[in-house]
Amino acid sequence: MKEPIIKFEDFGFQYDAQAEPTLKNINLEIYPGEKILIAGPSGCGKSTLTHCMNGLIPFAYPGESTGKLTIQNKEAKKLSIFEISKMVGTVLQDLDGQFIGLTVAEDIAFALENACVGQDDMKKEVRKVAEKVGIGGHLEHAPDALSGGQKQRVSMAGVMVNEVDILLFDEPLANLDPATGKKAIEIIDQIQAETGATVIIIEHRLEDVLWRDVDRIVLMKDGQIVTDAPPDELLSTDVLLENGIREPLYLTALKYAGVAIKPESKPQSIRSLTLSEADKYLVKEWFHARKEAVEKEEQKVLLKADKIDFTYENGFHALKNIEIDINEGELLAIVGTNGAGKSTFSKVVCGFEKQQIGTLAFQGEDMRNYSIKERADRIGYVMQNPNQMISKPQIFDEVAFGLRQRKVPENVVQAKVEEVLKICGLYPFRKWPVSALSFGQKKRVTIASILVLDPQMIILDEPTAGQDYRHYTEIMEFLNELHDRGITVVMITHDMHLMLEYAQRAIVFSGGKVIANDTSANILTNPEIIEQANLKETSLYDLALLCGIEDANLFVQHFIDYEKEEKRV
């Protein structure tokens, strides 16, 4: 019988800076060659569990542990972080925080240099690992010049070069476009097949991880393990939703249609799912009961982009003849591959960059001579990386900063900041330092700091990256409320679920151009646009085909409409 490669026995951990333990009574065995998905809401302890496995606890985050943790039959507390690094390789969520070298080759070679490997052997090993993860053609590139997907591959190579037996992936999909995320999961699967390594994935995007099989899902809440079960068993229950984790969309649709989810249906993936003729009939019946779409009133244009063209100083032609109308009170998604021009467009709108050709008009007025502050009074911008926005050490002061700069009375500041902190799930941490927060929590701080200013239009670059389903829903429902009050909300996102659930319309960028401007349902059922823009077909599309429904786009739209009605109830 195999011995566990990692074993927690009645394990607990409490940070020195915390009054209560973060991990409590953890009993978990992970076996060689297994692929494990660890999921749970923000603050449940999954990152702490990861840090215990890779040695960051206690070497980077001091605290007191109880019980026992063994890695490859060695007690973790008796190992140095160097010894642990020879057994466990970690790909961090914040990829930029993991890079060491000035080039991709240097970064991959870092562990080999520390081990005093000879130059010839080192170069040979770097090339071999780089080719394995598909980054061999970028060895001389600087890591910060790469796309999110390419950075992900470099980080994988950097840990694989050590030939470790255990690979940890901390939210590997957080900053990747859908197609690149899908490819990342395929690469992880391929690496495991070739090396036999034990793979542990920590991720919110459960449906995307399950694109390839996993052996078990370990679900955590409040520092404890709630469930440890094979995917087919877990997905046949409501345990995920009860614990703040989004279930795959095709399962939600099946439940709306009255289909009972059973382990023997193999619900882990839409690829493995089997349905009886009776189940398919229920889905068709639910679909045909849809309501006719209501004609929408014509909306006024708030922001008009006319023939916008922009080229960076290095010669990169980022925007090409962009023509977009964004309407008053609209909730709009901007999607597309990494590097397609989405973020550049938002920078031009906010005045951080200035277009060489074309005009931008806000409420019919040319914005050419608007200062950045004048634009900021009308348009709020939340950046993708929270570390680039935060300027104050304390959470409350960071959210209050914009109001105080505008000389708002302190009693008003107090009330508005507290209200927004509650909406963003940060009220319990209002007196905390920002440095004590996770990446996802910092993201919520930056959203709160913009929402508190009541802009007419708000642009959010990946607003839900790193958020669990509960906080994702809280943030998006609040943005929905803003939209209902007439505020225009623009979301730059890789999250196809967000696009489907909330966006009234989506604009698709590819290669610096707008290639589609349509409903989310029509876009995510159009194979040509999906391929061109590195998107991913929704599993609802596959479910429609599985049930013999030809109007897949109408099926997807029905799900969107039905979901909105359900949430209103």
Side-chain angles (χ1 to χ4, degrees):
M1 187 173 175
K2 279 186 179 179
E3 287 287 321
I5 196 167
I6 294 176
K7 186 174 183 178
F8 290 88
E9 297 177 82
D10 297 320
F11 187 84
F13 180 77
Q14 182 173 336
Y15 291 99
D16 284 347
Q18 300 292 338
E20 297 290 332
T22 299
L23 296 179
K24 305 163 223 172
N25 195 36
I26 299 294
N27 287 285
L28 176 65
E29 294 181 354
I30 300 173
Y31 290 87
E34 275 196 303
K35 187 197 287 182
I36 304 294
L37 169 59
I38 299 178
S42 292
C44 71
K46 55 188 186 298
S47 291
T48 300
L49 191 74
T50 305
H51 294 156
C52 292
M53 289 187 269
N54 64 17
L56 289 178
I57 288 176
F59 294 102
Y61 307 110
E64 183 179 346
S65 62
T66 56
K68 188 176 181 181
L69 166 61
T70 56
I71 304 173
Q72 292 185 328
N73 288 319
K74 298 174 183 176
E75 196 166 354
K77 64 172 64 174
K78 296 178 181 178
L79 299 171
S80 69
I81 194 167
F82 177 75
E83 289 172 312
I84 293 174
S85 73
K86 290 289 185 182
M87 297 185 280
V88 183
T90 306
V91 177
L92 299 172
Q93 177 187 357
D94 182 3
L95 296 173
D96 291 326
Q98 189 156 346
F99 294 129
I100 301 294
L102 296 177
T103 66
V104 167
E106 287 180 17
D107 198 81
I108 296 172
F110 181 71
L112 299 175
E113 289 179 315
N114 281 339
C116 299
V117 173
Q119 281 280 323
D120 290 342
D121 289 338
M122 186 188 305
K123 289 178 180 178
K124 183 179 178 181
E125 187 63 25
V126 166
R127 278 194 296 271
K128 183 177 82 173
V129 174
E131 291 294 338
K132 186 174 288 186
V133 299
I135 202 72
H138 296 77
L139 289 174
E140 301 307 316
H141 288 58
D144 61 6
L146 302 179
S147 70
Q150 291 167 336
K151 288 179 181 179
Q152 182 75 260
R153 293 170 191 239
V154 174
S155 294
M156 287 182 190
V159 298
M160 285 173 59
V161 79
N162 249 346
E163 296 187 345
V164 293
D165 293 321
I166 302 163
L167 291 171
L168 284 178
F169 296 90
D170 188 1
E171 297 206 28
L173 308 180
N175 299 308
L176 303 182
D177 63 54
T180 304
K182 181 178 172 182
K183 186 66 178 174
I185 291 299
E186 290 171 351
I187 291 172
I188 292 171
D189 196 61
Q190 177 190 339
I191 289 168
Q192 186 188 34
E194 291 178 359
T195 64
T198 301
V199 170
I200 301 165
I201 302 171
I202 294 87
E203 182 57 66
H204 292 296
R205 287 162 59 175
L206 186 134
E207 181 177 335
D208 293 333
V209 175
L210 295 179
W211 172 246
R212 286 289 182 263
D213 292 346
V214 303
D215 295 296
R216 287 185 285 148
I217 300 174
V218 176
L219 184 63
M220 295 186 67
K221 186 177 182 182
D222 298 329
Q224 296 178 296
I225 293 175
V226 176
T227 303
D228 179 354
D232 287 334
E233 286 183 22
L234 183 58
L235 292 170
S236 301
T237 70
D238 292 325
V239 171
L240 288 173
L241 291 176
E242 289 167 358
N243 289 278
I245 300 298
R246 182 209 297 277
E247 65 184 2
L249 286 183
Y250 58 91
L251 295 184
T252 305
L254 288 172
K255 289 177 182 179
Y256 286 157
V259 175
I261 312 299
K262 300 173 184 176
E264 52 267 31
S265 300
K266 300 190 179 301
Q268 170 174 325
S269 166
I270 191 66
R271 296 179 299 115
S272 62
L273 180 69
T274 58
L275 296 176
S276 67
E277 290 305 314
D279 291 337
K280 293 177 183 178
Y281 176 79
L282 286 174
V283 174
K284 289 177 183 176
E285 193 175 50
W286 174 69
F287 168 60
H288 290 305
R290 71 189 187 278
K291 296 175 183 177
E292 291 296 323
V294 178
E295 287 285 328
K296 293 181 181 177
E297 295 180 14
E298 192 172 334
Q299 296 171 298
K300 292 182 180 177
V301 175
L302 180 68
L303 179 77
K304 187 177 185 66
D306 186 24
K307 295 182 173 57
I308 298 295
D309 215 89
F310 176 78
T311 301
Y312 284 100
E313 288 184 1
N314 64 5
F316 178 63
H317 195 176
L319 299 176
K320 304 166 186 174
N321 198 38
I322 302 297
E323 296 189 351
I324 294 173
D325 286 353
I326 299 175
N327 300 319
E328 287 185 4
E330 186 173 26
L331 207 159
L332 175 76
I334 297 179
V335 299
T337 182
N338 291 93
K342 307 182 302 293
S343 294
T344 300
F345 176 70
S346 63
K347 290 174 184 176
V348 169
V349 169
C350 294
F352 305 146
E353 303 286 359
K354 191 166 184 178
Q355 73 270 21
Q356 286 91 12
I357 300 171
T359 58
L360 279 170
F362 192 87
Q363 292 181 318
E365 187 175 342
D366 193 338
M367 297 173 67
R368 188 177 303 276
N369 296 321
Y370 281 17
S371 66
I372 289 178
K373 181 193 176 299
E374 286 171 325
R375 296 186 190 219
D377 287 338
R378 297 162 175 82
I379 304 168
Y381 180 55
V382 180
M383 298 173 74
Q384 182 175 352
N385 185 344
N387 296 319
Q388 294 176 344
M389 285 186 70
I390 292 169
S391 60
K392 295 290 181 182
Q394 297 295 124
I395 291 171
F396 188 96
D397 292 336
E398 177 62 30
V399 178
F401 181 71
L403 294 174
R404 287 171 173 163
Q405 287 293 104
R406 288 160 172 78
K407 310 297 182 187
V408 173
E410 194 60 29
N411 63 324
V412 177
V413 170
Q414 183 83 21
K416 293 195 75 168
V417 170
E418 288 186 357
E419 179 190 2
V420 170
L421 287 175
K422 287 175 183 175
I423 289 159
C424 292
L426 294 165
Y427 187 75
F429 314 117
R430 61 196 179 281
K431 295 181 181 179
W432 282 30
V434 174
S435 59
L437 299 181
S438 68
F439 186 86
Q441 289 169 327
K442 287 179 183 177
K443 186 83 176 180
R444 296 206 298 276
V445 169
T446 59
I447 292 173
S449 68
I450 296 299
L451 294 181
V452 79
L453 300 176
D454 296 322
Q456 289 172 266
M457 173 175 162
I458 182 168
I459 301 173
L460 302 106
D461 198 347
E462 294 293 350
T464 57
Q467 303 297 305
D468 64 41
Y469 187 45
R470 181 170 67 84
H471 286 120
Y472 162 101
T473 303
E474 285 178 359
I475 289 169
M476 290 310 305
E477 286 303 312
F478 179 65
L479 293 177
N480 229 4
E481 289 174 20
L482 288 180
H483 156 250
D484 289 341
R485 294 205 299 263
I487 294 176
T488 301
V489 178
V490 178
M491 304 171 295
I492 299 168
T493 184
H494 290 137
D495 189 336
M496 299 296 96
H497 291 182
L498 180 153
M499 173 182 165
L500 277 171
E501 287 180 298
Y502 292 97
Q504 298 168 311
R505 180 168 63 104
I507 293 172
V508 184
F509 276 69
S510 180
K513 299 177 181 179
V514 172
I515 63 166
N517 181 347
D518 206 338
T519 66
S520 301
N522 285 344
I523 286 168
L524 292 182
T525 53
N526 185 320
E528 188 178 332
I529 292 172
I530 287 168
E531 183 177 358
Q532 197 174 344
N534 251 28
L535 305 179
K536 184 168 71 72
E537 285 176 346
T538 171
S539 58
L540 297 170
Y541 175 84
D542 295 316
L543 178 61
L545 297 183
L546 179 62
C547 294
I549 297 170
E550 293 181 3
D551 297 323
N553 61 326
L554 286 181
F555 180 84
V556 174
Q557 189 61 52
H558 174 55
F559 175 87
I560 295 167
D561 297 338
Y562 191 92
E563 179 98 333
K564 287 176 181 174
E565 288 297 323
E566 282 290 302
K567 288 187 175 177
R568 286 196 191 102
V569 173

